[in-house]
Amino acid sequence: MDKLLHWSIAQQAGDKEALAKIGEPDPKLLNQLFGGPDEVALMKESIAIAHNPKVEDKDKEIALENFEMLIENMDNANNIENLGLWHPIVDLLKSDVPDDLRVTVSGIIGTAVQNNPKSQEDFAKTNGLQELITIAGDGQNKSLQNKALYAISSYIRNYKPGYKQFDESSGWDLVKLDSKDSKFDLRVLSLVSSILSNGLDNDIESRFKKSKLVHYLASVLNLDSNTNLVDKSLNIISELHRLRYNFSDEETFEVDRGIQVVEGLSDKINIDDLNRAKQVTKK
C-alpha cells in the first residue's frame, strides 16, 4: 500500500524520476482498489462478442485481439478451459466465419498452447486440431494457412499426445517442401521442428526420407538467401544428427556442399547451429 501511495503522489506530480524508482504497482491491486476491469469477465465478454451476430466484424476482431493479449498471460491461458471457452473458440474456425477472424482465432490457439502443457491438454479435448489441419491444407488464404500452421506447430511441440493426434488426422499431408513461398516454407519447417521435438522413430525417419527433407534442407543452404530459412534448415539438420537420423551418403554429400556455401554467411546466421550441422559431415 505504501508503494501504491508513493506511486500515486508521483503520478499526480508528474515526477518521472520518482516513478522510475518506484516502479509500476501491481495491476491486480489497482483493479481491486479502483474497480478496474476483471480479466475473467473480459475474456468471457470477448468470446461472447465474437459469437454475437448483431456485432460488426471489425468489433469482433477487436474483441478477439483483446482476448489474445489477455491470454499471453499463462494463468489466463490456463483459465480458458475453466471458463468453458475452448469449444466456443474452436467453433470460430469453421468455414462460415470470415477469414480475418479465423486468422486471429488461429493466433489465439497458437499463443495459448505454446510452451504450455496445461493448455495443450485442454485443447486436445476439442476437435480444433482437425479444423486447423483442414485450414492449413486449403491454401486459398495464405495468411490464414500460415497462422493455422503456427497453431498446429505450437500445439504438437513437446507434446506427444498432440503429435499422435496430428499423425492420425493426416497432418503429415501438410509437410510439403519447396513451395517457392518463403513464409510458407518457414512455417512448414517450424512444423518439422515441432515433430522432431517429440523424438525420432523409424516411422518418422521413413516419412522424412520419402519427402526428401534433407535434400530440401541442403538446397536451402545452397541456393536460398533468406537467412531465416537457412537458420531453420541448419537447426533441423543439427537436430536430426542429435536424434541419430541415418543420413545416406548422398544426403551427407549434399549437406556438406550446402554448409560450405553458408559458411560465408557466418556473420548473419546462427553459428552454433552451423557448427552442430557440420557434425553430419564427419560421420
Side-chain angles (χ1 to χ4, degrees), residues 108-126:
I108 285 171
I109 294 169
T111 298
V113 301
Q114 192 172 51
N115 301 316
N116 188 340
K118 170 68 166 59
S119 285
Q120 287 172 314
E121 291 174 8
D122 293 338
F123 181 71
K125 301 171 187 175
T126 74

Side-chain angles (χ1 to χ4, degrees), residues 4-17:
L4 182 59
L5 176 60
H6 292 310
W7 177 84
S8 178
I9 293 171
Q11 181 79 6
Q12 292 177 22
D15 189 339
K16 294 182 179 179
E17 185 177 345

Side-chain angles (χ1 to χ4, degrees), residues 189-226:
L189 289 188
S190 292
L191 179 59
V192 168
S193 179
S194 289
I195 291 170
L196 285 173
S197 72
N198 292 290
L200 181 69
D201 58 24
N202 290 336
D203 177 64
I204 293 175
E205 181 166 322
S206 175
R207 288 178 181 273
F208 284 149
K209 293 278 188 185
K210 185 176 180 180
S211 68
K212 297 187 178 297
L213 171 65
V214 175
H215 296 277
Y216 170 69
L217 298 174
S219 74
V220 170
L221 304 186
N222 275 293
L223 302 173
D224 209 300
S225 60
N226 186 313

Side-chain angles (χ1 to χ4, degrees), residues 42-51 64 67 85 88-89 92:
L42 286 175
M43 289 171 64
K44 293 167 68 175
E45 182 181 359
S46 295
I47 301 305
I49 288 172
H51 276 278
L64 289 172
F67 185 90
L85 295 179
I89 289 170
L92 292 168

Side-chain angles (χ1 to χ4, degrees), residues 31-144:
N31 288 342
Q32 290 173 4
L33 291 175
F34 301 119
D38 178 85
E39 291 185 348
V40 168
L42 286 175
M43 289 171 64
K44 293 167 68 175
E45 182 181 359
S46 295
I47 301 305
I49 288 172
H51 276 278
N52 190 336
K54 297 180 180 179
V55 175
E56 294 185 8
D57 287 347
K58 63 179 182 180
D59 293 324
K60 292 182 179 182
E61 180 75 16
I62 293 171
L64 289 172
E65 288 173 352
N66 289 338
F67 185 90
E68 185 169 10
M69 285 190 289
L70 287 169
I71 59 141
E72 287 175 357
N73 178 309
M74 188 175 288
D75 289 338
N76 286 339
N78 289 339
N79 213 15
I80 293 174
E81 173 74 4
N82 298 334
L83 298 175
L85 295 179
W86 265 123
H87 287 286
I89 289 170
V90 168
D91 285 343
L92 292 168
L93 291 174
K94 293 180 178 177
S95 59
D96 59 345
V97 176
D99 281 356
D100 287 348
L101 297 183
R102 292 203 288 168
V103 169
T104 306
V105 171
S106 298
I108 285 171
I109 294 169
T111 298
V113 301
Q114 192 172 51
N115 301 316
N116 188 340
K118 170 68 166 59
S119 285
Q120 287 172 314
E121 291 174 8
D122 293 338
F123 181 71
K125 301 171 187 175
T126 74
N127 67 335
L129 178 62
Q130 187 59 66
E131 293 283 357
L132 289 169
I133 289 173
T134 299
I135 291 170
D138 185 345
Q140 293 187 29
N141 184 319
K142 289 297 182 183
S143 295
L144 178 56

Side-chain angles (χ1 to χ4, degrees), residues 217 220-222 224-235 237 255 257-278:
L217 298 174
V220 170
L221 304 186
N222 275 293
D224 209 300
S225 60
N226 186 313
T227 54
N228 289 327
L229 271 177
V230 171
D231 270 337
K232 181 60 77 173
S233 296
L234 287 171
N235 177 266
I237 290 169
V255 169
R257 187 173 60 178
I259 285 175
Q260 292 178 43
V261 172
V262 299
E263 279 186 307
L265 302 173
S266 57
D267 60 327
K268 299 179 181 179
I269 60 178
N270 188 311
I271 194 68
D272 291 332
D273 280 334
L274 174 60
N275 288 333
R276 283 191 289 265
K278 285 181 181 179

